[in-house]
Amino acid sequence: MSNEYALEKQPLIRVMALHALAYCERLFYLEEVEEIRVADTRVYDGRRFHETIPDYSGLEHYTIESESLGLYGKVDTIRTAGGKLLPYEYKKGRCRSDDGTYRAWPSDELQLGAYMMLVEEFTGQPINEGRVYYAADHRTVEIVLSDDLRREVVDAVNRARMLRVSPYRPKVSVNERLCPKCSLAPVCLPEEERLVEAPERETLRLFPEDRESLDLHVVVPGSTVRKKGDMLVIDRKDAEEQTVPMHQVGSVTIHGASQVTTQTLQACAYKGIHIHWLTGGGKYIGSMANAAGAVQRKWRQYRGLSDQGNAMKLAIALVTAKVESQLRYMLRLSRGSELRGEMEGYLQTMKTMLRKAHKAASTDELLGFEGNSARAYFACLSILTHAQHGEGMAFTNRSKRPPKDAPNALLSFLYALLYKDCVQSILTVGLDPVIGFYHQPRSSGYPLALDLMELFRVALCDMIVMGSIGRKQWSLQEDFTLAGEHVWLTDEGKKKAVSLYERRKQDKWKHPVIGYSLSYARLIELEVRLLEKEWSGSPGLFALNRLR
C-alpha cells in the first residue's frame, strides 16, 4: 500500500486535535494516534465551563464533517452580525498579551480557522472572520480567515495525517513551559526524558505522587460483588454489605469462590476498573481489563524486545537491581547483629554474583548468577528467622509449589498480589504482558509481569514478611492451615496479609535518580512507563531504583 493511499484512507480528524497539534505534536500523537486521554481537574473545569455557553444559531447541535477538508467538529457557538455568520470559540483561560496588544494563542487561532472553514462549506456562505472569547480576562479577540490561515489549516491537517501513519512518537517539546499544564504529562514523562540528556538537572515533578483509586479485595468465600447505581456492593455471608463508590475503585481482586454479576463486569469494563481472580490458595488465575491497546505501543515493544542486544541490556539492569536490593536489605538487617558472622559467606556469594551479573554474556549465565544469589539470600533469611522456629515462623528454605511452611505460604501469597499489580500496570500503560525480555514464555505466567516483579519483591513482599514476623503478628493456628506438606493462609490470614500489603503500597519512597517521592503503588506504573521509553527513543532510566 502506497503512503499516499494510506493517507487518503484515513478517517477525518477532529478539529480539537488540531488544537493539540499546534500546542505539542507529541500531545496530538498520544491523544489521537495512541488514543490516550487523561481527564484531570483542568479538563473537567473546561467541560463545565463549556456547558454554560449559550446557543445562538442551532448549528451548535451539529457535528459538521468535510471529506474535502479531512475534518469534523462541533463549533462552540455561531452568532450573526450584519447578516453574516460569526463562529465563536470560548476559552476558560486568558488571551495572549504582547506589549498591550491582545491576541489569540496560535493553537486557538488554528482551531477557530478550521471551524470557520467547516461552517463555510456546510452553509455555503462565505466566512470572513470569527471570535475567540477568553473568560479569565473577559476579552474577545477577532480572528480573520485569511489566505495564510487557510493554508495553516491545510498544512496542519496534512501534518496530522503524516503523524497518524507513523509508529513513532514525536520528541518531547523543546518548550518546557508547555508540560506543566498538560494533562498527559504523567504518560509522556517529559521531565524524566529530559533527565536522560541532562542528568544534573532538577526534575520538575509532573508524575502523580500517589494513585487516587482503591484496590478492593474480596477474601470471604461465597461473597457477591454487584452494582447498585454508581456504587459497588459486596454482599458477604453473615455480615453487613459493604458499598464503595465506583469512581474510587481501580481494581477488584476475587480470592477463591466468590461471584461478580454480569452487570458489574460490564460497568467495570466501561469505567476501566480491573477485575482479577486468584484461587483460594493464592495462585493468580487471570484478569479482565479494558486496557489501552493502541497497536503503536505494542509494535514498538515487539520491535524493541526482538533486538537481543537490547533485551540482554535490560535483563542485566533488572537482575543487578534485584540482587543489589537483596544484598542491601540483608546488610541492613544484620547490621550490629551477632548473626552477621554466620551470614558472611552467603553475603560474599551475593556480592560475587552481583559482580558477575554486570558482565553476563547470555541470559542463561544471568539466570545462573541470579539463582546462586537467591539461594544465598534465602539462607540469610533462614538464619535471621531461626529464633522463631518454635513458633513455626522460621524459613527453612524457599518452597513454592506447594509452600511447606508458614513464611513461604505468606511470601507466595504476597508475590501473587505483586504479580497482579504488575499485570495491571502493564495493561494500564498499554503494553503486552506476554512479551518480556528476561523470563521465558510459559503457560503459567506473563513474562513481562514476571520481569517487572523482580524490582519490587524485596520492598513490597520480603520486607513485609520479615517485619511482621519480627513483630510477632502471626498466629500459626489462626492464620495458617496445614494439609499434609501444604501450608496455606486462612481467610483471616489473607485479610491480614492483604492489609499489610496494601498499606505498604501507600508508603512513600524517594526515587534516587529522578529525585521525587511517590508511593510504591505509583512506582510500579512509573517503572513500566520508563521501561517503554527504553525502546521508544529515550533509554537510560529503567531499573535504577535501589533499596537504601
Side-chain angles (χ1 to χ4, degrees):
M1 180 185 294
S2 69
N3 193 48
E4 289 80 10
Y5 181 77
L7 292 177
E8 287 178 3
K9 288 297 182 180
Q10 282 195 34
L12 301 179
I13 295 168
R14 295 189 310 144
V15 173
M16 273 297 296
L18 295 188
H19 187 278
L21 180 72
Y23 187 82
C24 171
E25 287 194 351
R26 190 173 173 105
L27 172 62
F28 167 86
Y29 192 90
L30 292 172
E31 287 189 335
E32 301 302 318
V33 182
E34 297 192 17
E35 300 176 345
I36 303 172
R37 294 185 176 93
V38 177
D40 62 5
T41 302
R42 288 186 294 269
V43 173
Y44 285 119
D45 288 345
R47 291 175 183 174
R48 285 190 290 268
F49 168 71
H50 275 77
E51 291 173 358
T52 67
I53 297 172
D55 180 352
Y56 285 92
S57 69
L59 288 176
E60 294 85 355
H61 297 296
Y62 295 97
T63 296
I64 306 173
E65 299 181 355
S66 170
E67 289 287 346
S68 61
L69 294 173
L71 292 169
Y72 75 95
K74 184 185 291 186
V75 67
D76 280 347
T77 194
I78 301 176
R79 300 185 187 183
T80 56
K84 295 183 179 180
L85 298 178
L86 284 177
Y88 264 72
E89 270 297 293
Y90 284 70
K91 299 297 179 183
K92 185 173 176 291
R94 299 182 180 277
C95 66
R96 183 177 181 179
S97 177
D98 298 325
D99 300 325
T101 302
Y102 299 102
R103 301 167 54 196
W105 296 99
S107 54
D108 298 337
E109 186 173 351
L110 179 68
Q111 180 185 1
L112 183 58
Y115 278 132
M116 288 191 282
M117 292 170 69
L118 275 175
V119 173
E120 184 178 61
E121 181 178 298
F122 181 77
T123 62
Q125 299 182 37
I127 303 293
N128 299 318
E129 58 185 275
R131 304 283 188 273
V132 181
Y133 174 73
Y134 292 93
D137 45 16
H138 305 289
R139 293 190 183 277
T140 301
V141 178
E142 176 183 323
I143 303 295
V144 176
L145 185 56
S146 63
D147 290 342
D148 288 342
L149 182 54
R150 289 178 186 271
R151 280 192 293 270
E152 285 182 30
V153 172
V154 172
D155 290 345
V157 171
N158 290 334
R159 178 58 179 162
R161 286 176 165 178
M162 293 297 294
L163 288 173
R164 269 187 167 179
V165 298
S166 170
Y168 300 105
R169 288 178 180 172
K171 291 185 178 297
V172 166
S173 173
V174 296
N175 185 354
E176 299 180 20
R177 292 178 297 176
L178 300 178
C179 301
K181 297 181 180 179
C182 179
S183 63
L184 283 182
V187 175
C188 176
L189 299 181
E191 283 295 306
E192 291 76 5
E193 193 160 314
R194 293 181 183 113
L195 186 63
V196 176
E197 300 176 358
E200 72 284 352
R201 70 180 280 126
E202 182 178 351
T203 308
L204 174 65
R205 181 196 184 88
L206 299 178
F207 192 78
E209 182 179 24
D210 200 0
R211 291 172 54 202
E212 297 177 352
S213 56
L214 303 172
D215 293 315
L216 299 183
H217 293 260
V218 181
V219 174
V220 178
S223 300
T224 299
V225 183
R226 59 184 176 85
K227 174 181 175 293
K228 184 178 181 181
D230 290 329
M231 307 290 286
L232 279 182
V233 180
I234 303 173
D235 285 330
R236 298 182 299 171
K237 291 181 178 180
D238 304 322
E240 185 178 350
E241 67 178 28
Q242 293 181 309
T243 59
V244 184
M246 292 189 73
H247 71 271
Q248 295 181 3
V249 179
S251 74
V252 179
T253 301
I254 309 296
H255 298 259
S258 291
Q259 308 297 320
V260 186
T261 67
T262 301
Q263 294 84 351
T264 304
L265 290 173
Q266 292 173 344
C268 288
Y270 178 76
K271 294 179 179 294
I273 299 173
H274 297 247
I275 308 290
H276 303 276
W277 286 270
L278 275 69
T279 66
K283 182 180 179 181
Y284 188 86
I285 300 174
S287 64
M288 181 202 77
N290 186 9
V295 69
Q296 291 81 8
R297 271 162 281 165
K298 292 183 173 62
W299 182 89
R300 290 193 299 266
Q301 179 185 358
Y302 299 154
R303 187 173 182 272
L305 295 184
S306 63
D307 181 336
Q308 294 303 310
N310 191 38
M312 188 63 192
K313 181 184 71 174
L314 292 173
I316 289 174
L318 184 77
V319 171
T320 54
K322 174 188 177 181
V323 174
E324 189 171 343
S325 290
Q326 289 178 328
L327 177 60
R328 290 186 180 191
Y329 185 45
M330 290 300 95
L331 291 172
R332 180 201 297 182
L333 287 184
S334 62
R335 186 179 298 124
S337 170
E338 59 185 18
L339 298 175
R340 171 66 74 87
E342 194 175 345
M343 296 168 56
E344 192 59 44
Y346 298 117
L347 295 175
Q348 287 301 322
T349 296
M350 294 176 70
K351 291 176 183 179
T352 300
M353 294 303 107
L354 180 60
R355 287 194 299 271
K356 290 184 175 182
H358 279 289
K359 301 176 182 179
S362 67
T363 302
D364 288 341
E365 275 193 7
L366 202 55
L367 286 166
F369 300 148
E370 183 203 1
N372 289 336
S373 179
R375 283 187 286 273
Y377 174 71
F378 282 106
C380 289
L381 293 184
S382 178
I383 293 171
L384 290 168
T385 58
H386 182 73
Q388 280 76 34
H389 183 77
E391 302 170 9
M393 294 305 297
F395 271 101
T396 50
N397 49 56
R398 179 71 178 120
S399 55
K400 306 175 186 178
R401 293 179 289 273
K404 296 182 179 181
D405 56 41
N408 274 294
L410 176 58
L411 195 62
S412 292
F413 183 76
L414 292 175
Y415 283 163
L417 298 184
L418 174 59
Y419 177 82
K420 178 266 297 183
D421 283 332
C422 290
V423 172
Q424 181 165 315
S425 292
I426 291 167
L427 294 176
T428 297
V429 173
L431 300 184
D432 189 339
V434 172
I435 308 299
F437 53 87
Y438 180 52
H439 288 84
Q440 300 304 305
R442 63 185 193 186
S443 59
S444 60
Y446 292 128
L448 190 60
L450 294 171
D451 289 347
L452 188 64
M453 279 182 67
E454 305 295 359
L455 294 177
F456 300 100
R457 288 180 185 269
V458 175
L460 282 176
C461 300
D462 302 1
M463 292 179 71
I464 291 176
V465 173
M466 294 300 290
S468 59
I469 289 176
R471 292 189 293 272
K472 302 185 182 301
Q473 291 181 262
W474 301 99
S475 166
L476 194 63
Q477 290 72 35
E478 296 178 7
D479 297 324
F480 300 91
T481 181
L482 281 68
E485 289 189 339
H486 299 207
V487 179
W488 311 108
L489 284 162
T490 64
D491 291 343
E492 288 303 314
K494 291 177 188 175
K495 290 179 186 178
K496 189 181 295 184
V498 166
S499 177
L500 290 170
Y501 178 76
E502 292 297 334
R503 197 155 57 234
R504 176 60 174 163
K505 278 167 55 180
Q506 303 313 312
D507 285 348
K508 301 298 189 298
W509 180 86
K510 185 175 181 180
H511 196 289
V513 177
I514 293 173
Y516 53 70
S517 297
L518 67 168
S519 69
Y520 281 102
R522 269 295 185 190
L523 181 59
I524 298 175
E525 180 190 337
L526 176 63
E527 282 296 334
V528 180
R529 296 197 182 280
L530 294 177
L531 174 61
E532 185 184 21
K533 286 184 177 291
E534 294 292 329
W535 54 73
S536 299
S538 303
L541 289 175
F542 173 68
L544 294 182
N545 57 313
R546 297 289 190 277
L547 194 70
R548 291 185 179 84

